[in-house]
Amino acid sequence: MSTVLAARHLNKYFYDPERFRVLSDITFEVQAGEFVAIVGKSGCGKSTLLYLLSTMDTDYEGQIELAGTLLTGRSQDYLAHFRNEHLGFVFQFHFLLPEFSALQNVMLPALKLGKYSADEIEARAMAKLSMIGMADYALKPASKLSGGQQQRVAIARALINDPTLIMGDEPTGNLDKANTDNVFSIFRELASGGQTIIAVTHDPDFAAGTDRVIEMSDGLIVP
Amino acid sequence: MNLRIASQIARTHLLAKKRQTLVAMLGVTFGIAMFITMISFMQGVNQFLEDSALDASPHVRMYNEVNTQRPSLIDALRPGGFNVTYHQKPKNELARIKNGLTIADRIEREPNVLGVSPQVATQAFYNNGPIQLSGTISGVNIERENRLYNLEKRLKSGSVNALRSNPDGLIMGTTLAGKLNVATGDKVTITTPTGSTRVLRVVGTFGFGIGTIDNTKSYANLPTVQELLGKDPSYITDIHLKMSDPLLAIPFGKVLQAQYGYHTEDWATANTAILAGEKIRNMLTYVVSITLLVVAGFGIYNIMNMTVMNKIKDIAILKATGFEGHDIVAIFLLQAVFIGFSGGLLGLGIGFGLSYLLSITPFDAGGFISIKTFPVIFEPKYYVNGLLFGVITTVLAGYFPARKASHIDPVAILRG
């Protein structure tokens, strides 16, 4: 098994209103194919950690290596391109572009990557949508979908570029029981297909269904 | 950078919020439309005032300046002595330009000279029954004079040809004719300062739209006036000339003065007050245009800023899913270009429409000024400038907020 993600001695501070250490000396690795849940109480720094790993927050000490590439100290544009190619995101509040149809939302990151032609991308996006059972809603504007439906489209969007790693920030945090089960089963299915997934969650049922649970408390990993 | 996808996103943004797009476009439209209307009208007024003043005056006028001041004989003999001369008799000096006709022909052959009109100008009294009015009368070769001042167009009645065929004809300023209560076909008695009298027939009336001319001046044939003054057929007092470019006339006048020894006066010296007024109006036009453009520019900036800020969450999402800073800038710049260009074009259309409406609005300026509607000029330059300004301002107004937005940290937005 190869290492997909390696975090070494991560430290992160907040400066407002005063200097405060959010993460202290976080070190861990994630292997390819693992389904990892990061759990912990509110304010323990788990979301902060995920944002560091996602490369979107670059203000930290330590080193992050993803898919064999050292990402610490890279330019914003390099990181954007890296995210596009290697990372898929599922946020708590889905964050689809409201003016675009479900299909377009899924297609956009792939169009940006430009690895396939527009027709191929559309076919691939439709395949991802049917995989999560959203094919019938492909042409509806994202703003007209229900919360659960939007979250499923967001998962399809995260999958479109066949990312090395999928990151979820409370992916079920805003969903009811039925939708939570639905979304979780999609994740579970992806994981069994060999997809590496890291999800921050405070849902014990969700965490229990994963391969490995990293528990955090006060900016430290609980051993 | 992938422009196709940026343009696709830009198009979707524009189409999704049609009303907002329209409002942004109209912001540009009104600014440009007002600018076009304003500058077309103001420049039209400037042009009209300049034309009406300069059309009626020659680019260069050559004349013999009668100056009876001369040193007394004793001063000439004993310069520097304590000489007192009382009541020196003025020298009899004629206003004639010697060899005037020859000079006129030679000047006419110079490059850039459009036309030369040698003439005899004199004071005169116009008598019609008991009414007596003073004015001036110019003896001209009417064809040459017509070439200079486009008299045919300025005639209110009669014709230029009638003067040519009638040695006793007279073309009179329209206001002067009105005061004398004469019309084309009537007779007027002319008395010159030298005392000679002659009855001439009015064969036409003209109006330059300038009170001092329409109120006092008449044209007669050159031999008629020479005869009236009791002079020979070579007697010329003034040479008027027009050039292809009025600006050339200023140095050319000085050259002529040096060459022939007669006093010359160019249009700029003769119309100093009008030119000063023109400068002030030009300044005013610039101030008003710049004010309009600055106000419009700020309006556009506000709208573009709002457009970008409304999309801040989308920008964060796009960045999170791998779009780079310059993609974000491209998306909003494309929107700005579209808004600026279409709004600008619409503005040009509305500006043109308003200018056109203004140019056909009847304007009663009284009898003096020869216009029936507001003067407006349609200069393609202003339209090009207006559109350029609209597009450039909008692009700049879109670029700065977009660049700022492209630097934001997506985490800060997505965390909420």
Side-chain angles (χ1 to χ4, degrees):
Chain A
M1 265 200 176
S2 63
T3 306
V4 167
L5 182 148
R8 295 189 205 102
H9 310 294
L10 293 182
N11 283 299
K12 164 85 182 165
Y13 301 93
F14 282 163
Y15 296 98
D16 207 23
E18 55 194 34
R19 194 175 146 105
F20 170 69
R21 193 170 189 177
V22 199
L23 298 176
S24 39
D25 206 38
I26 302 279
T27 301
F28 72 101
E29 288 189 348
V30 175
Q31 306 299 319
E34 267 191 303
F35 185 3
V36 181
I38 303 176
V39 296
K41 296 218 165 54
S42 205
C44 71
K46 57 187 193 300
S47 282
T48 307
L49 175 63
L50 190 76
Y51 282 120
L52 291 194
L53 298 178
S54 77
T55 76
M56 283 195 275
D57 188 348
T58 51
D59 179 24
Y60 60 88
E61 292 166 6
Q63 283 190 334
I64 294 172
E65 210 177 286
L66 264 166
T69 316
L70 179 66
L71 294 176
T72 307
R74 299 281 191 175
S75 76
Q76 284 295 335
D77 284 353
Y78 180 91
L79 293 176
H81 184 72
F82 185 88
R83 284 199 292 276
N84 190 218
E85 200 173 350
H86 293 286
L87 293 180
F89 283 104
V90 182
F91 301 98
Q92 182 174 0
F93 299 103
H94 53 77
F95 287 135
L96 298 176
L97 301 177
E99 291 98 348
F100 292 80
S101 71
L103 181 64
Q104 282 172 316
N105 263 294
V106 177
M107 285 171 69
L108 274 177
L111 289 170
K112 168 62 195 163
L113 187 63
K115 214 162 97 183
Y116 301 99
S117 75
D119 290 339
E120 283 174 276
I121 289 169
E122 189 169 338
R124 287 167 56 82
M126 276 313 288
K128 302 287 181 200
L129 281 172
S130 9
M131 195 185 92
I132 54 161
M134 285 296 294
D136 295 344
Y137 301 93
L139 297 178
K140 271 194 127 181
S143 54
K144 296 268 159 63
L145 298 175
S146 75
Q149 288 172 331
Q150 293 198 20
Q151 197 61 303
R152 278 145 72 188
V153 173
I155 294 173
R157 180 179 64 186
L159 289 171
I160 188 67
N161 284 339
D162 296 327
T164 319
L165 183 61
I166 287 185
M167 291 185 176
D169 182 15
E170 309 268 16
T172 59
N174 208 31
L175 299 177
D176 62 10
K177 184 75 182 114
N179 276 311
T180 302
D181 291 347
N182 196 335
V183 166
F184 182 76
S185 64
I186 293 170
F187 273 118
R188 195 60 258 181
E189 215 169 293
L190 290 170
S192 57
Q195 175 72 58
T196 318
I197 300 170
I198 300 178
V200 163
T201 184
H202 57 237
D203 178 353
D205 294 341
F206 189 102
T210 60
D211 302 341
R212 174 179 157 200
V213 176
I214 297 175
E215 196 182 341
M216 286 185 69
S217 177
D218 294 333
L220 290 160
I221 293 181
V222 179
Chain B
M1 173 170 47
N2 196 336
L3 260 183
R4 228 172 57 88
I5 173 164
S7 71
Q8 194 194 334
I9 295 173
R11 198 171 58 229
T12 310
H13 277 172
L14 287 171
L15 289 177
K17 294 247 165 77
K18 288 197 189 69
R19 239 179 56 168
Q20 198 185 322
T21 307
L22 197 68
V23 166
M25 262 174 60
L26 288 182
V28 183
T29 301
F30 286 130
I32 304 298
M34 284 300 121
F35 167 72
I36 295 285
T37 314
M38 210 52 212
I39 199 151
S40 298
F41 182 44
M42 291 187 78
Q43 290 295 346
V45 171
N46 274 356
Q47 190 74 46
F48 167 75
L49 289 172
E50 189 185 318
D51 284 353
S52 56
L54 293 186
D55 278 8
S57 67
H59 286 161
V60 178
R61 171 178 165 234
M62 180 189 271
Y63 61 100
N64 190 4
E65 197 172 38
V66 175
N67 186 356
T68 58
Q69 238 185 1
R70 61 188 163 112
S72 65
L73 200 59
I74 195 161
D75 279 333
L77 280 174
R78 289 178 50 192
F82 183 68
N83 309 319
V84 179
T85 315
Y86 291 105
H87 306 299
Q88 183 173 225
K89 192 181 177 189
K91 190 176 138 192
N92 182 14
E93 195 174 352
L94 285 175
R96 121 183 314 203
I97 294 177
K98 282 177 190 145
N99 290 323
L101 289 169
T102 325
I103 292 175
D105 288 341
R106 278 173 64 179
I107 295 174
E108 195 150 36
R109 284 200 294 273
E110 299 262 358
N112 296 320
V113 175
L114 285 185
V116 181
S117 173
Q119 48 194 268
V120 177
T122 180
Q123 310 283 323
F125 281 111
Y126 298 96
N127 298 303
N128 179 26
I131 315 167
Q132 190 171 51
L133 289 175
S134 70
T136 60
I137 182 162
S138 290
V140 296
N141 177 330
I142 197 66
E143 269 170 78
R144 293 179 116 175
E145 188 78 359
N146 184 27
R147 190 142 31 102
L148 252 63
Y149 299 114
N150 205 356
L151 282 178
E152 239 156 25
K153 275 203 169 162
R154 304 189 185 273
L155 284 185
K156 303 285 180 195
S157 65
S159 75
V160 167
N161 279 334
L163 184 67
R164 208 179 314 163
S165 57
N166 184 354
D168 284 343
L170 188 70
I171 299 181
M172 193 177 259
T174 174
T175 339
L176 180 61
K179 281 194 205 165
L180 285 168
N181 196 20
V182 294
T184 304
D186 292 345
K187 283 180 178 171
V188 172
T189 310
I190 308 291
T191 312
T192 64
T194 51
S196 53
T197 302
R198 185 151 175 179
V199 178
L200 298 179
R201 188 182 291 279
V202 178
V203 296
T205 54
F206 66 84
F208 274 107
I210 295 175
T212 48
I213 294 179
D214 298 346
N215 222 348
T216 56
K217 192 169 181 175
S218 297
Y219 286 112
N221 285 306
L222 183 56
T224 313
V225 181
Q226 285 167 340
E227 237 171 80
L228 194 61
L229 291 170
K231 306 293 182 196
D232 57 282
S234 67
Y235 183 77
I236 298 294
T237 61
D238 288 77
I239 296 174
H240 289 189
L241 67 100
K242 285 232 172 181
M243 304 194 67
S244 53
D245 181 359
L247 290 177
L248 285 175
I250 296 168
F252 189 62
K254 295 200 175 80
V255 170
L256 289 181
Q257 180 157 2
Q259 211 169 348
Y260 297 107
Y262 288 109
H263 196 80
T264 58
E265 185 183 65
D266 56 54
W267 57 274
T269 321
N271 296 296
T272 320
I274 289 172
L275 285 177
E278 162 120 4
K279 272 185 194 156
I280 292 168
R281 277 192 304 275
N282 271 338
M283 194 65 217
L284 197 68
T285 310
Y286 286 128
V287 169
V288 170
S289 316
I290 288 171
T291 310
L292 267 175
L293 293 182
V294 167
V295 170
F298 267 96
I300 294 167
Y301 177 78
N302 265 336
I303 289 166
M304 288 313 297
N305 211 4
M306 203 179 72
T307 308
V308 174
M309 287 310 145
N310 277 345
K311 288 270 171 286
I312 200 86
K313 210 166 101 180
D314 289 24
I315 294 171
I317 297 168
L318 285 170
K319 286 193 80 172
T321 52
F323 283 78
E324 291 148 44
H326 56 80
D327 293 320
I328 308 294
V329 172
I331 289 169
F332 287 98
L333 272 193
L334 283 170
Q335 294 189 41
V337 167
F338 175 81
I339 289 173
F341 199 75
S342 51
L345 275 184
L346 195 62
L348 294 191
I350 292 179
F352 178 81
L354 285 178
S355 310
Y356 177 72
L357 284 182
L358 202 57
S359 76
I360 57 166
T361 307
F363 169 58
D364 183 14
F368 275 125
I369 299 174
S370 59
I371 46 168
K372 292 178 181 63
T373 59
F374 286 106
V376 175
I377 50 174
F378 297 95
E379 177 85 59
K381 198 175 75 187
Y382 302 142
Y383 291 79
V384 173
N385 282 352
L387 189 62
L388 273 183
F389 169 81
V391 173
I392 290 173
T393 317
T394 319
V395 167
L396 285 181
Y399 175 71
F400 289 109
R403 203 187 54 169
K404 206 176 83 187
S406 77
H407 287 315
I408 54 154
D409 195 355
V411 177
I413 308 295
L414 297 180
R415 280 203 142 148

